[in-house]
Amino acid sequence: MADYARFRSILAYQQDDVLILTLNRPERLNAVGDDMHEGLEAILQDLCHDTSVRAVLLNGAGRAFCVGGDVKAFADTAAVELTPYESMALVTQSAARLIERFIAVPQPVVAAVQGYAMGLGATLALMCDVLIIAEDAQIADTHVPIGLVAGDGGALAWPLAMPFGAAKYYLMTGERLNGIEAARLGLALRAVPAEQLQDQALAIVRQLAALPPLAVQGTKRTLNQILRQRSQLLTDTGLHLEAATFLSDDHKEAASAFVEKRTPTYRGR
């Protein structure tokens, strides 16, 4: 059996045939940093070979599900000298691996979203098979407001979950939706009162775990061919454009303004 609890920033607890994964950087609202990205990649890979797990719950510790990439870390590393190739490789390879791991993992994964799910955090939630969201939660793809192309899993997941025109609007603006509106547009299966979120998400996970695993996993694998085909169409282009904007002055300005709590000034370069 895999050691799912070997990563600092992800708590893991297996209860019978259900694995509960908790993003655990509550002091940073579970921003993806430390070993979280690496941990998610490795855990999803391990699950491909673990028949003792039939369903997975992904949630976040504290007040948020996940606020995305660690913007303060972006600002701290802005001065690090990398070649354009090294920067592109860093962004594209790790993001592409994580998307592929979500598509390939055989067990159904349920996301329970409370508080904030922003940027990469929204992508993590939407790459799960079922999303349950608190009514007062906030979800958004915040790449563009931080000066980045929304080119990773957001470009893949949002247009499949909601009307195409609405997906374009929310990806281009980074505007937030509350849980009720997210469920109305199709981003989430349902919105529930915050105090009921964990119980309802666990009920769905246990329901999925109790079903015939070959049938559930085969159905997921079949449907995920749509995701895989769409990923092959979009991901390389989107990630390369996103990686290019990591090098832009606008992104550096957005990260600095965030840390300094001021209004950014963008120059389109």
Side-chain angles (χ1 to χ4, degrees), residues 130-213:
V130 181
L131 196 167
I132 306 298
I133 191 167
E135 291 174 344
D136 60 355
Q138 299 282 316
I139 186 169
D141 191 302
T142 49
H143 281 78
V144 168
I146 198 63
L148 300 175
V149 168
D152 58 14
L156 174 65
W158 285 67
L160 285 174
M162 66 196 308
F164 187 60
K168 276 187 171 182
Y169 173 79
Y170 285 108
L171 289 172
M172 288 191 296
T173 64
E175 187 174 310
R176 300 179 181 187
L177 297 90
N178 64 31
I180 294 172
E181 189 69 0
R184 186 187 72 81
L185 285 170
L187 283 181
L189 176 66
R190 67 178 67 124
V192 301
E195 64 273 14
Q196 298 178 20
L197 177 66
Q198 290 301 317
D199 287 345
Q200 293 213 26
L202 274 170
I204 291 174
V205 172
R206 289 173 178 145
Q207 176 189 3
L208 289 164
L211 292 166

Side-chain angles (χ1 to χ4, degrees), residues 1-268:
M1 183 181 297
D3 177 14
Y4 296 113
R6 65 189 186 275
F7 299 99
R8 292 181 299 275
S9 57
I10 303 174
L11 300 178
Y13 171 67
Q14 186 168 345
Q15 185 178 59
D16 300 322
D17 49 12
V18 168
L19 179 66
I20 301 171
L21 300 174
T22 302
L23 307 178
N24 190 40
R25 298 183 76 210
E27 74 286 354
R28 301 299 287 269
L29 298 181
N30 301 319
V32 177
D34 193 13
D35 62 354
M36 188 181 292
H37 201 291
E38 169 196 351
L40 286 170
E41 285 185 42
I43 288 170
L44 292 171
Q45 179 68 21
D46 290 343
L47 281 166
C48 292
H49 311 287
D50 189 350
T51 57
S52 73
V53 175
R54 293 191 177 183
V56 179
L57 174 63
L58 180 64
N59 61 18
R63 298 186 294 115
F65 175 76
C66 173
V67 293
D70 196 330
V71 178
K72 290 186 178 180
F74 292 162
D76 292 342
T77 59
V80 175
E81 292 297 328
L82 295 175
T83 68
Y85 177 82
E86 288 171 333
S87 297
M88 273 196 173
L90 183 67
V91 173
T92 59
Q93 291 174 8
S94 60
R97 280 197 308 268
L98 187 56
I99 290 169
E100 172 55 31
R101 298 284 164 84
F102 268 103
I103 294 173
V105 65
Q107 297 91 338
V109 183
V110 176
V113 173
Q114 86 284 7
Y116 300 102
M118 302 293 171
L120 178 55
T123 295
L124 295 180
L126 289 167
M127 289 303 295
C128 294
D129 304 296
V130 181
L131 196 167
I132 306 298
I133 191 167
E135 291 174 344
D136 60 355
Q138 299 282 316
I139 186 169
D141 191 302
T142 49
H143 281 78
V144 168
I146 198 63
L148 300 175
V149 168
D152 58 14
L156 174 65
W158 285 67
L160 285 174
M162 66 196 308
F164 187 60
K168 276 187 171 182
Y169 173 79
Y170 285 108
L171 289 172
M172 288 191 296
T173 64
E175 187 174 310
R176 300 179 181 187
L177 297 90
N178 64 31
I180 294 172
E181 189 69 0
R184 186 187 72 81
L185 285 170
L187 283 181
L189 176 66
R190 67 178 67 124
V192 301
E195 64 273 14
Q196 298 178 20
L197 177 66
Q198 290 301 317
D199 287 345
Q200 293 213 26
L202 274 170
I204 291 174
V205 172
R206 289 173 178 145
Q207 176 189 3
L208 289 164
L211 292 166
L214 295 180
V216 170
Q217 293 178 21
T219 299
K220 172 177 172 173
R221 182 177 177 183
T222 300
L223 293 171
N224 272 13
Q225 288 299 101
I226 299 170
L227 270 176
R228 191 179 300 281
Q229 182 183 52
R230 189 69 68 93
S231 179
Q232 290 168 350
L233 176 67
L234 296 175
T235 301
D236 282 351
T237 298
L239 285 175
H240 278 85
L241 290 171
E242 182 178 341
T245 50
F246 263 101
L247 303 175
S248 69
D249 289 343
D250 279 353
H251 169 58
K252 294 172 186 175
E253 166 66 5
S256 296
F258 177 86
V259 173
E260 297 165 10
K261 296 181 171 58
R262 60 175 172 82
T263 301
T265 300
Y266 299 124
R267 303 186 184 280

